[in-house]
Amino acid sequence: LNHQAPGVSKPRYVRVNTLKLDVDSALLELAKINTVKKDDMIQDLLPCWCSHQGVICTVTNGSIFLQGKASSMVALALGPKPGWEVLDACSAPGNKTVHLAALMRGEGKVLACELHKQRVELLKDTVRRSGASNVEVLNRDFLSISAEDPMFSKVRAILLDPSCSGSGTAAERLDHLLPSNAAVTGFTDTIRIDNLAAFQSKALAHALSFPAVERLVYSTCSVYQTENEDVVKSVLPLATSLNFQLETPFPQWSRRGLPVFEGSEHLLRTDPVEDMEGFFIALFVKKGVENGVEQ
Ligand code: SAM
């Protein structure tokens, strides 16, 4: 809970679902019981210092989503245009799916792929609450989708936010502080993270192979180099051969990738303590294509 004034403590973040409510109306509504302002970087995001026993808003009709700043940067980094076809490759519970739909003003199509049946239900619920009518939910394994399948031939942007260690999120960081588990956790974590990284590299290489894709975002809520810079580095030869290059999402953001390869300064990191969540974002853009227009 957070009862203090801006500048004194960390806010909670409210992402306004612009499919249902405009940002100024949300600001007015939230200001009734909170100290709230507009975020300086993300238009539809409101940092909020709740003053009412931790309750930001009693409205749960999908007009707002409680979503951290780092997490809200991901769909924005992808920058889909209204009317595009976009694939959210690993999408449940769907926070970024519905953010994509809102950025596209409900025009075009978001194909939201999710492997696990139970999580598909969560995803469908998020989509239903958001009011997005341009999301098609697919209960499929992203790795088994053929990049040549005509159903995906018009996909111009892919958001790949695959399963990761979650080491950048609060709950996981607290787990790491449990001393009794330290030795076991250290050992199993190495194997688990290597396995996750193998899946992430495979999924990223697969995403790069879709023929019409111009923009691709790879993101994790992990702080580990193995799941972040190393995964990006592993696909660089393929990305280059397909004419993709790394671009710099949010150039004004100072925290960039670890300096482990040339070009890692394009990557974006957020700090789990200072920025409240440890996220990682890499943006690949096809050369010669700017704002969806072939140069
Ligand atoms: N982007 C989501 C959001 O912001 O709400 C969070 C995605 S979560 C980090 C990763 C998701 O990928 C999980 O729901 C997991 O079940 C799903 N997943 C894992 N492997 C997959 C695969 N091979 N194909 C499709 N989805 C997969």
Side-chain angles (χ1 to χ4, degrees):
L1 302 188
N2 195 332
H3 302 272
Q4 289 156 320
V8 176
S9 62
K10 306 268 189 201
R12 294 179 75 184
Y13 283 91
V14 170
R15 186 177 64 74
V16 183
N17 175 15
T18 51
L19 291 173
K20 283 197 162 174
L21 190 66
D22 67 87
V23 174
D24 287 326
S25 305
L27 195 67
L28 282 176
E29 190 58 37
L30 290 165
K32 288 179 186 165
I33 55 166
N34 306 281
T35 304
V36 60
K37 61 175 192 151
K38 289 186 186 178
D39 186 69
D40 48 13
M41 226 173 70
I42 302 179
Q43 268 186 6
D44 50 6
L45 198 68
L46 306 175
C48 200
W49 291 261
C50 43
S51 46
H52 207 69
Q53 302 197 339
V55 177
I56 281 187
C57 188
T58 50
V59 181
T60 53
N61 65 357
S63 304
I64 60 161
F65 286 89
L66 289 178
Q67 188 173 344
K69 177 160 176 163
S71 162
S72 303
M73 290 161 92
V74 177
L76 208 56
L78 187 63
K81 299 272 179 294
W84 278 21
E85 285 200 15
V86 175
L87 173 59
D88 188 353
C90 294
S91 54
N95 293 314
K96 299 182 187 80
T97 310
V98 298
H99 194 189
L100 290 170
L103 292 172
M104 292 160 69
R105 294 192 225 110
E107 296 163 27
K109 197 192 280 183
V110 182
L111 296 158
C113 175
E114 169 57 44
L115 176 64
H116 295 291
K117 233 186 171 75
Q118 280 167 325
R119 293 182 62 80
V120 164
E121 295 312 311
L122 282 177
L123 170 63
K124 283 183 177 164
D125 186 56
T126 308
V127 172
R128 186 187 50 74
R129 275 189 295 125
S130 78
S133 56
N134 63 330
V135 177
E136 189 177 328
V137 171
L138 311 170
N139 184 191
R140 292 183 66 172
D141 176 354
F142 172 59
L143 292 180
S144 73
I145 289 177
S146 165
E148 305 307 321
D149 185 333
M151 181 177 178
F152 302 95
S153 63
K154 294 195 187 111
V155 168
R156 295 175 73 165
I158 296 183
L159 192 158
L160 175 64
D161 185 38
S163 300
C164 73
S165 62
S167 50
T169 61
E172 187 70 16
R173 272 182 288 125
L174 292 176
D175 284 345
H176 285 169
L177 297 177
L178 289 175
S180 57
N181 281 337
V184 179
T185 309
F187 177 68
T188 51
D189 261 8
T190 313
I191 297 173
R192 187 171 73 112
I193 287 157
D194 285 349
N195 286 339
L196 283 165
F199 164 67
Q200 292 154 351
S201 292
K202 208 168 169 185
L204 183 51
H206 186 48
L208 284 164
S209 71
F210 282 67
V213 167
E214 300 162 21
R215 296 175 73 83
L216 166 57
V217 158
Y218 169 71
S219 63
T220 72
C221 55
S222 166
V223 294
Y224 299 133
Q225 179 186 327
T226 315
E227 295 179 272
N228 296 335
E229 288 83 358
D230 291 355
V231 167
V232 170
K233 189 174 175 209
S234 75
V235 302
L236 283 182
L238 174 69
T240 307
S241 73
L242 291 169
N243 227 11
F244 282 97
Q245 63 190 11
L246 284 172
E247 287 205 354
T248 311
F250 302 102
Q252 69 272 47
W253 189 260
S254 59
R255 209 181 299 281
R256 310 307 312 187
L258 300 176
V260 291
F261 62 84
E262 205 179 312
S264 64
E265 67 280 4
H266 293 293
L267 309 173
L268 184 151
R269 270 182 175 260
T270 63
D271 182 81
V273 178
E274 284 192 26
D275 307 315
M276 292 161 65
E277 289 173 304
F279 259 75
F280 174 83
I281 302 178
L283 168 65
F284 293 87
V285 178
K286 197 154 239 180
K287 275 190 230 169
V289 178
E290 207 166 276
N291 291 323
V293 179
E294 199 94 32
Q295 300 297 296

